[in-house]
Amino acid sequence: LTPEKSDTPELIISGQDVVLDILANYLQQEGVHAARTYLSSFEGLLSLYQDNIHVAACHLFDGFDYNSSFVRSLMPGVPAVLVNVSYRMQGFYVQKGNPKNIKGWSDLGRKDISVLNRRVGSSSRILMDMQLKRLGIPASKVRGYDRIMKSHLTMAAAIAAGEADLAIGTERISRQIENLDFIPLLEERFDFVIKKEMMDSEAVQKLMKVLQMPVFRKEIAHFSGNDYRDMGKIIAEV
């Protein structure tokens, strides 16, 4: 007796933060057929350019700013809008007590330090490569550079177990693992990238509405390590 709904999602959101899963559920309650895909920031921008998704969550650092230059490079000629989701602290996962006395980026070049890395295209991998280039440290000189882990969680657990000395990840994950310390190094900006032509669509307008809903903000507030001070704010048009 009820009309059949199309199986085609109105809004496909890519990204790997649990907040995005909660957002998709709220969109469903608002009548938007929303779906999720768990692409890296780099992969998400390419998929957005190819019209395979509608919203790409992105946190890519070029050494000066977040996201804008990558949008221009990976989506050439396509006007896009950056809408803030949160700010998150990036840094090093190290064993409890920091037995190797690791302090900052320059420690990546130490011969007595081994690291874990993420796959090509991930924000953590790009951040490491940017810092190595800035410091003039060849990747070939970094012990463990080619040892790839699937997620921040698996990296954090491996560091806690003593499988390596450090890995780059977000602060929130470090609070989920015992025998682990976190060294904060850089506040990253986590944005949605949306094609400008989509901004007036009903689905995107409802997304913007949910980002401002007090009940939604209250639900995500307990995810420590995220700062939502600019959530829903248009950061830039690229």
Side-chain angles (χ1 to χ4, degrees):
L1 297 176
T2 58
E4 292 185 2
K5 290 187 176 181
S6 170
D7 289 335
T8 303
E10 298 171 74
L11 209 62
I12 302 175
I13 303 170
S14 83
Q16 301 174 345
D17 194 306
V18 66
V19 168
L20 308 183
D21 298 327
I22 298 171
L23 174 63
N25 288 332
Y26 271 81
L27 286 168
Q28 296 283 6
Q29 295 170 29
E30 291 292 316
V32 178
H33 185 188
R36 291 277 290 112
T37 182
Y38 299 90
L39 301 173
S40 69
S41 297
F42 194 92
E43 294 166 335
L45 289 179
L46 288 177
S47 291
L48 183 61
Y49 181 59
Q50 295 166 343
D51 288 324
N52 293 324
I53 63 171
H54 305 102
V55 180
C58 187
H59 50 120
L60 295 171
F61 188 57
D62 64 6
F64 301 96
D65 191 19
Y66 272 91
N67 303 326
S68 295
S69 64
F70 288 92
V71 175
R72 284 191 288 266
S73 297
L74 298 176
M75 298 174 54
V78 179
V81 177
L82 305 186
V83 178
N84 185 250
V85 180
S86 66
Y87 296 88
R88 309 185 301 186
M89 190 59 67
Q90 283 267 24
F92 288 158
Y93 302 142
V94 299
Q95 278 191 291
K96 193 74 174 178
N98 193 10
K100 292 290 183 75
N101 194 30
I102 294 167
K103 296 180 179 179
W105 299 113
S106 60
D107 289 308
L108 291 169
R110 285 169 51 183
K111 293 181 179 180
D112 64 328
I113 296 294
S114 62
V115 309
L116 299 176
N117 209 346
R118 294 290 309 282
R119 60 195 173 94
V120 172
S122 73
S123 61
S124 296
R125 174 69 168 259
I126 290 172
L127 179 57
M128 179 181 285
D129 288 343
M130 285 289 181
Q131 297 300 332
L132 291 176
K133 181 179 179 181
R134 180 179 65 84
L135 293 166
I137 301 172
S140 60
K141 300 296 184 182
V142 179
R143 291 178 54 207
Y145 180 85
D146 293 323
R147 188 176 175 192
I148 307 303
M149 307 299 283
K150 292 182 178 180
S151 69
H152 286 171
L153 189 62
T154 55
M155 284 202 306
I159 295 298
E163 296 180 23
D165 299 308
L166 73 81
I168 298 175
T170 58
E171 181 179 12
R172 178 166 56 82
I173 296 297
S174 70
R175 300 181 183 184
Q176 302 176 26
I177 304 291
E178 295 183 0
N179 198 36
L180 193 74
D181 281 343
F182 180 77
I183 300 172
L185 295 175
L186 180 70
E187 183 183 66
E188 70 171 11
R189 199 182 75 226
F190 189 47
D191 297 329
F192 281 144
V193 182
I194 306 169
K195 289 184 178 180
K196 191 172 182 179
E197 65 188 29
M198 283 284 296
M199 289 300 294
D200 291 330
S201 68
E202 183 178 0
V204 170
Q205 286 300 304
K206 287 187 175 180
L207 179 148
M208 298 293 284
K209 173 187 173 182
V210 170
L211 292 178
Q212 300 296 338
M213 290 171 58
V215 64
F216 172 70
R217 290 180 172 232
K218 183 178 180 180
E219 182 166 347
I220 63 174
H222 71 278
F223 290 109
S224 58
N226 285 10
D227 184 331
Y228 303 107
R229 63 183 183 269
D230 286 337
M231 174 175 274
K233 178 180 177 181
I234 293 177
I235 298 295
E237 295 189 13
V238 181

